[in-house]
Amino acid sequence: MTGEATVTRLDLGPERWLTDGVAPAGQPGHLVAELLPAGYEVYLRLFHPFTSWRVPGRRTWRSLAGEAGVTFHREIVRASLKPALLYDERGHRYEVVDGHLEPVTRAALYRRLSATGDKGPVFFYYGLSAIVRGIPPLLWSAPLDAGDEVQRRADAVAGVELAGPEYVWPADRSWIVNTDYDLTSTYLACSRMTAPALEEDPMLEILRVDLDTRVDDGADQLNGVRTRGEP
């Protein structure tokens, strides 16, 4: 890991080009456009893997969709996989984490991104995860491979383990990673040159999306999933 001296806490401000965006009006549910800005060539959904404390390894959304008998697609939601996720006599079969990339996935993602664009420090922004803990948002500058150290420092400031970071991006803005506090997938914006390396990585389960792709719990209309409160 890069030395700790390269990790710097910053005053807020550089994140505003991302956090001050306005969600599009007149659309059902919540969209990728509420998470990432327009103008990028490719938008991607990175699925957080399912894990189990009883069974080593990780399960993909695609494999669980096959087990549940539903279609795997870019707007699939956790509720779509319910037949494969039910409790049994040994406890819950598989779980997925909201708002946080598990270490194996994060390492693979950062390794691929570090080979693209600006090679300098990147920004790590903790937004809602800090606010819900009663502290202002946090912003750090560090090499991408120092993400673990940034996380340790953010946790120390908060006094608890924080989800996130919510946004990670380089100074040249060639890509953006968004891990929303309430979502079980991470969304990315990048170039056509960067996307294939991410899509081909065996440790990353990724599908292409666009700005109008829904990200909320009622998104999966293809599989006919209804959520609480829907007719």
Side-chain angles (χ1 to χ4, degrees), residues 70 77 79-81 217-227 230:
V70 297
V77 297
S80 309
L81 306 178
D217 288 342
D220 193 354
Q221 300 300 303
L222 179 60
N223 288 314
V225 174
R226 292 184 178 180
T227 59
E230 290 186 332

Side-chain angles (χ1 to χ4, degrees), residues 169-188:
W169 73 98
D172 66 1
R173 302 181 181 181
S174 55
W175 50 262
I176 312 165
V177 177
N178 171 262
T179 306
D180 187 89
Y181 181 80
D182 292 320
L183 299 181
T184 55
S185 289
T186 288
Y187 291 84
L188 300 94

Side-chain angles (χ1 to χ4, degrees), residues 45 97 118 128 159 164 168:
R45 178 180 178 180
V97 178
D118 191 341
L128 184 57
V168 181

Side-chain angles (χ1 to χ4, degrees), residues 52-187:
S52 171
W53 65 270
R54 294 185 291 104
V55 181
R58 313 180 314 159
R59 288 292 302 272
T60 65
W61 287 61
R62 183 185 295 275
S63 69
L64 289 169
E67 190 174 308
V70 297
T71 301
F72 176 67
H73 65 107
R74 65 184 187 172
E75 291 182 322
I76 194 171
V77 297
R78 175 166 40 186
S80 309
L81 306 178
K82 185 176 179 180
L85 302 177
L86 294 176
Y87 284 84
D88 59 22
E89 68 278 4
R90 295 173 296 174
H92 202 289
R93 295 179 188 171
Y94 300 103
E95 297 177 324
V96 64
V97 178
D98 300 51
H100 195 74
L101 275 172
E102 57 85 34
V104 174
T105 303
R106 184 177 67 245
L109 174 63
Y110 286 3
R111 183 175 62 252
R112 291 292 185 175
L113 290 176
S114 66
T116 70
D118 191 341
K119 305 302 187 213
V122 303
F123 296 97
F124 296 82
Y125 173 72
Y126 295 79
L128 184 57
S129 63
I131 293 171
V132 299
R133 296 297 188 179
I135 63 173
L138 303 171
L139 182 67
W140 304 84
S141 173
L144 192 53
D145 64 359
D148 288 345
E149 176 62 22
V150 172
Q151 185 68 51
R152 282 191 286 271
R153 295 194 185 196
D155 292 347
V157 172
V160 294
E161 184 177 353
L162 290 179
E166 185 175 335
Y167 284 108
V168 181
W169 73 98
D172 66 1
R173 302 181 181 181
S174 55
W175 50 262
I176 312 165
V177 177
N178 171 262
T179 306
D180 187 89
Y181 181 80
D182 292 320
L183 299 181
T184 55
S185 289
T186 288
Y187 291 84

